[in-house]
Amino acid sequence: MHVTLLHNPSAGEGEYSRHKLVRALVAAGHAVTYQSTKEKDYARALTDPGDVVLVAGGDGTVRKAAGALLGRDVPLALLPMGTANNVAKALGVEGSPEEVIAGLAASRPQRFDAGVVKGSWGEGHFLEAVGLGLFPVTMCLVESRADHREGRAEHEDLGITRDVRYLSRVLRDLRPQAWQIELDGQDVSGEFLLCEVMNIPSIGPNLRLAPGADAGDGLLDVVLATERERESLREHVAARVAGDDHQIDLPIRRAREICIVAHGAELHVDDELQRPGEAPSAAGARIQLSLLPGALRFLV
């Protein structure tokens, strides 16, 4: 196979260098085109990527590749080397890079839905989740602390333990917010600690808020946590701080089309922050979410 290797050289603490990964692919019988995500024109390598794009990095690197390949029927394969690897976990991809490369020729394609989100800032896609409340508020805190200490930092590069501790701190003082929410035309508005529209089971630092989410079923899992769920969330976050694999049971609804109006609220789209709530009108604060069923193919 002709493999385009899209590599984040900072992922995995730099343990797997360009040369180490290319050698492993060549030894497995593949032709290789290498591209680092640190180069500004990295997307150019994805215009004609050959038989497969092999993504070596974390969830942010996967999202970059997916954005260039939506609807093109070019398969992606994953070398999970990030801190969370939520997309790889959702697909059941595990093992060392050497093991994954050794199995590449025998892998099979699996369809993967891509989410679409529209707001006052424009339109984008997501693979993991879009949400309001607990997670984007925590991301704002993480960014402010990172900016103060060491300059702007990428959210996915922060340690999982530190992220979860920030979540715990924010959850302690977080007040429910009133949001207008429609799921396939049904009004479920209320006051919530968080609203997470999830395409896969886990988000952020491996918090499995929607264990039954399936990125190939044409539906989004909508997690709505009110004040009643604060203690369940607290226990789940505390268990993650302790390194335990704790199960959580939150109210979940499934929908294809979702509309949210949230004045003054930050929003996360995967690991990026948006602030649609700063718009002065209800139309400006409106967030619309839908799916592109099977828009991506992953080799698993």
Side-chain angles (χ1 to χ4, degrees), residues 15-210:
E15 179 182 356
Y16 285 89
S17 66
R18 165 182 180 170
H19 300 293
K20 190 172 184 177
L21 293 173
V22 170
R23 280 199 305 268
L25 283 162
V26 171
H30 303 296
V32 184
T33 297
Y34 177 87
Q35 180 62 55
S36 168
T37 59
K38 299 300 183 183
E39 297 175 8
K40 291 182 179 180
D41 62 346
Y42 73 87
R44 187 177 302 175
L46 303 181
T47 57
D48 185 17
D51 298 308
V52 61
V53 175
L54 181 60
V55 183
D59 291 312
T61 310
V62 177
R63 187 167 179 250
K64 287 179 180 179
L69 299 178
L70 278 174
R72 291 178 52 191
D73 211 35
V74 176
L76 296 101
L78 303 182
L79 291 179
M81 295 166 55
T83 54
N85 302 313
N86 288 313
V87 176
K89 286 179 170 65
L91 291 165
V93 177
E94 57 185 11
S96 68
E98 292 87 353
E99 291 169 333
V100 174
I101 288 170
L104 191 58
S107 59
R108 294 291 179 265
Q110 180 172 320
R111 287 292 178 181
F112 193 101
D113 303 335
V116 178
V117 56
K118 300 177 182 179
S120 59
W121 70 93
E123 179 176 331
H125 76 275
F126 63 97
L127 303 184
E128 299 175 65
V130 171
L132 303 97
L134 177 60
F135 279 84
V137 172
T138 302
M139 290 171 68
C140 289
L141 175 62
V142 170
E143 282 200 351
S144 67
R145 296 297 173 88
D147 288 347
H148 178 70
R149 287 197 304 264
E150 54 197 56
R152 188 176 179 84
E154 291 293 335
H155 180 68
E156 78 168 26
D157 293 334
L158 297 173
I160 284 180
T161 300
R162 189 170 73 175
D163 284 353
V164 176
R165 285 176 175 163
Y166 275 122
L167 277 167
S168 179
R169 187 182 307 172
V170 171
L171 179 59
R172 182 186 60 202
D173 301 320
L174 187 66
R175 302 269 69 84
Q177 298 295 313
W179 300 319
Q180 299 173 37
I181 302 174
E182 286 188 2
L183 308 180
D184 290 335
Q186 181 182 6
D187 188 356
V188 295
S189 302
E191 294 190 351
F192 304 101
L193 295 170
L194 67 78
C195 170
E196 287 293 335
V197 180
M198 301 186 63
N199 193 38
I200 60 174
S202 60
I203 59 171
N206 295 150
L207 267 67
R208 287 175 59 85
L209 300 185

